Amino acid sequence: MKVILIGAGNLATNLGKSLLQAGHDIVQVYSHTQKSASALAALAGGAPTNDLNAIRNDADIYILSVKDSVLADLIPQVCKGKENKIFVHTAGSMPMSLFEGMALHYGVLYPMQTFSKEKNVEFKDIPCFIEGNDDYTLNNLDEFVHTIASKVYQLSSEERQYLHLSAVFACNFVNHCYELSSEILAKHGLPFDVMLPLIDETARKVHMLAPSKAQTGPAVRYDENIIRKQSMMLKDDPILKDIYDRMSLSIHRTALLNKD
């Protein structure tokens, strides 16, 4: 298919490279800066542009992969004069209905993964969630996404919001905990590398055990002496102390609810 990418960030970069490898024709890349558009076009093909009025009208599908805050403003400008094409966005928590009244065929392509420009990912291993406003869109989108991914699921906008929320806990919050751990270690002259075997083993365990069964540490058994001591060690950082206290309470509450 002929594809135009609207956006040149982390997700768009990985998606563009995967689409190119699958044999699709990236005919154009738009970004609000020419530099970003050119960088992705160099990797995925197509002509770079930072002019919305210069976006071509001869593509089969237009993929909007931009910040949620600008998506609603971009859609009318991108769809204008191309209303009979297929338009999709890639946002986890934004509804498909943003396209309503702007295009005839529209939907969502949400690849549930964390993306960075510097690290390539294998799309075939990524669960991709799609939605379409009609059978034409849904059938074409399903066929299109299956060229790069083997795990493709249909999911409504409402349910996708909860999927995205779950991903924030499983990815974004977990990574932030890595950062907090790194900061504590750095203050005491220890490298973050010492945590990597622990992190890797924790991730491996949840492939075989439910998270509730894999949970360990003082909060599970509510070892008050250790919890109180560690909490006081954080007294100079009220936000970090609050995170520790609330997380410990949540872990213990969950342990009690799951107790056999």
Side-chain angles (χ1 to χ4, degrees):
M1 294 180 77
K2 289 185 177 180
V3 181
I4 289 182
L5 298 174
I6 311 297
N10 294 332
L11 195 161
T13 297
N14 280 272
L15 180 58
K17 289 189 288 187
S18 293
L19 290 172
L20 179 66
Q21 291 172 3
H24 295 285
D25 183 10
I26 311 297
V27 297
Q28 196 174 39
V29 176
Y30 165 84
S31 180
H32 69 283
T33 68
Q34 188 69 24
K35 180 180 179 181
S36 294
S38 297
L40 179 50
L43 295 172
T49 183
N50 64 342
D51 181 0
L52 284 170
N53 294 319
I55 294 176
R56 292 169 51 167
N57 61 7
D58 60 343
D60 300 307
I61 186 168
Y62 295 74
I63 302 175
L64 288 84
S65 184
V66 296
K67 293 180 180 178
D68 292 0
S69 58
V70 302
L71 188 56
D73 291 333
L74 276 182
I75 284 175
Q77 301 176 72
V78 173
C79 293
K80 186 178 180 180
K82 319 172 193 67
E83 290 83 357
N84 63 334
K85 305 295 185 174
I86 296 176
F87 297 86
V88 298
H89 71 66
T90 61
S93 291
M94 302 299 284
M96 176 178 68
S97 59
L98 287 174
F99 290 106
E100 193 170 344
M102 305 295 169
L104 297 175
H105 309 294
Y106 54 87
V108 177
L109 161 56
Y110 174 55
M112 195 181 68
Q113 183 55 280
T114 176
F115 295 97
S116 298
K117 291 182 181 179
E118 299 79 10
K119 187 177 186 301
N120 291 331
V121 297
E122 291 288 343
F123 256 83
K124 64 180 179 61
D125 300 325
I126 299 174
C128 292
F129 298 85
I130 63 172
E131 185 179 15
N133 74 310
D134 56 22
D135 289 341
Y136 173 82
T137 304
L138 199 55
N139 291 336
N140 276 277
L141 189 55
D142 183 73
E143 183 178 348
F144 175 68
V145 178
H146 266 107
T147 64
I148 60 171
S150 58
K151 302 173 182 177
V152 183
Y153 309 92
Q154 294 182 28
L155 195 68
S156 69
S157 289
E158 182 179 0
E159 292 302 318
R160 182 168 24 86
Q161 292 181 84
Y162 290 98
L163 179 72
H164 191 206
L165 174 60
S166 298
V168 167
F169 275 94
C171 175
N172 306 130
F173 286 179
V174 169
N175 190 72
H176 183 59
C177 286
Y178 295 159
E179 173 60 22
L180 297 177
S181 171
S182 177
E183 291 174 3
I184 292 171
L185 289 167
K187 287 178 181 178
H188 298 278
L190 296 168
F192 183 66
D193 288 1
V194 300
M195 287 293 159
L196 295 180
L198 177 63
I199 290 170
D200 292 342
E201 178 59 20
T202 303
R204 279 193 295 266
K205 278 205 296 187
V206 294
H207 283 266
M208 300 176 290
L209 299 173
S212 60
K213 299 294 184 183
Q215 188 70 59
T216 60
V220 172
R221 56 187 182 272
Y222 210 70
D223 190 328
E224 293 188 64
N225 290 333
I226 294 177
I227 292 172
R228 190 179 301 113
K229 181 178 180 180
Q230 291 184 338
S231 178
M232 289 306 298
M233 291 166 66
L234 301 170
K235 66 181 185 299
D236 293 334
D237 190 334
I239 292 178
L240 188 55
K241 183 179 184 301
D242 189 50
I243 291 172
Y244 178 91
D245 292 341
R246 290 177 183 272
M247 190 75 78
S248 296
L249 182 61
S250 180
I251 290 171
H252 184 60
R253 183 188 66 175
T254 302
L256 290 176
L257 290 173
N258 290 299
K259 192 174 182 179
D260 292 331

